[in-house]
Amino acid sequence: AGCEKWHPSGQASGSCQKCRGGFVMLGDLCVSCLDVVGWMTDQGQTCQQLEASQTCSDHHFKGLSSRQACCHCGGGHPTATPFHYKAMQVAVGHEVELVPEPRTAERYSVDQSCQLARYGLLMDGETGRVSGRPASLQPITVECQVTAHQSDALTYTAGLKITTNHIAYPSQLLVFNPSRTYSPQLAEGNFSDFDVKCAPKVEWLKI
């Protein structure tokens, strides 16, 4: 999320060369961080000025050193970077693939009540990618809490929801304009005589 310049091999490699403002490098990932507000050296230099000159020290002023007060020196107030999963709905018998957006960590875990494994779905603990073909011939809904571990102290938890049905559109919310159409994903079998019922009735909607 906070990477300004990726390694020449590309974003897919997960290697960032330079973080955006407000982010610092933690391992190979950029983490949101805020310098201690109002702190400066005994020479009147702020953390921003020290960063420009790539200066860090253990010299204390007002009870803190730059290594404790400034993000670029490994101090400051780092915070976990938010991420999310898109809500996914697919037809029964179809493949599922979801990734955290953006990828913020190198270790992911799920809550104890998560039933991904019960339905034949797998999560990559390194990338947070969820994939597989749900092992149920009936519609199901799987909801989990996924935690991204950016460090031992920095974690962020987001919801994951996967729904299967006999007929599935790309999203639960469909946005229309005069030329927009949507085609459903269908489970195996023969389907015919489609109909739609809306409340209130929508005259312009055709199926």
Side-chain angles (χ1 to χ4, degrees):
C3 186
E4 181 176 310
K5 182 180 180 182
W6 290 95
H7 188 275
S9 60
Q11 182 173 349
S13 69
S15 181
C16 183
Q17 290 185 318
K18 181 182 179 182
C19 296
R20 296 173 181 160
F23 289 80
V24 294
M25 191 72 71
L26 184 65
D28 290 331
L29 299 171
C30 294
V31 175
S32 176
C33 187
L34 179 68
D35 295 325
V36 173
V37 177
W39 184 88
M40 60 181 63
T41 69
D42 54 1
Q43 302 296 317
Q45 292 178 297
T46 64
C47 287
Q48 188 175 6
Q49 291 170 323
L50 293 176
E51 183 177 10
S53 61
Q54 292 297 304
T55 302
C56 296
S57 78
D58 293 314
H59 179 69
H60 282 66
F61 184 65
K62 293 184 178 180
L64 297 173
S65 70
S66 59
R67 296 190 190 279
Q68 296 169 314
C70 303
C71 291
H72 77 281
C73 296
H77 302 292
T79 58
T81 306
F83 72 97
H84 71 281
Y85 286 92
K86 290 182 178 178
M88 169 164 277
Q89 54 181 19
V90 298
V92 171
H94 286 254
E95 292 283 339
V96 167
E97 182 175 3
L98 281 170
V99 295
E101 299 181 7
R103 179 185 170 191
T104 62
E106 295 180 337
R107 183 167 70 89
Y108 291 81
S109 63
V110 297
D111 61 297
Q112 291 184 346
S113 63
C114 180
Q115 295 187 328
L116 289 175
R118 175 183 175 183
Y119 293 108
L121 298 171
L122 300 175
M123 189 187 79
D124 187 320
E126 183 175 318
T127 65
R129 175 178 175 267
V130 176
S131 61
R133 188 189 301 268
S136 174
L137 298 179
Q138 298 300 318
I140 61 169
T141 296
V142 182
E143 295 188 63
C144 301
Q145 295 296 310
V146 180
T147 299
H149 303 264
Q150 292 182 258
S151 71
D152 291 339
L154 289 180
T155 63
Y156 187 90
T157 300
L160 167 71
K161 183 176 182 179
I162 300 171
T163 302
T164 69
N165 215 322
H166 297 299
I167 301 173
Y169 283 90
S171 172
Q172 291 183 343
L173 177 64
L174 302 179
V175 179
F176 289 90
N177 58 44
S179 61
R180 190 70 170 94
T181 62
Y182 293 95
S183 297
Q185 192 180 62
L186 304 176
E188 293 185 6
N190 297 317
F191 294 84
S192 61
D193 299 325
F194 289 93
D195 192 14
V196 62
K197 291 181 173 61
C198 296
K201 189 174 182 179
V202 181
E203 299 290 348
W204 52 264
L205 184 62
K206 307 297 181 183
I207 190 168

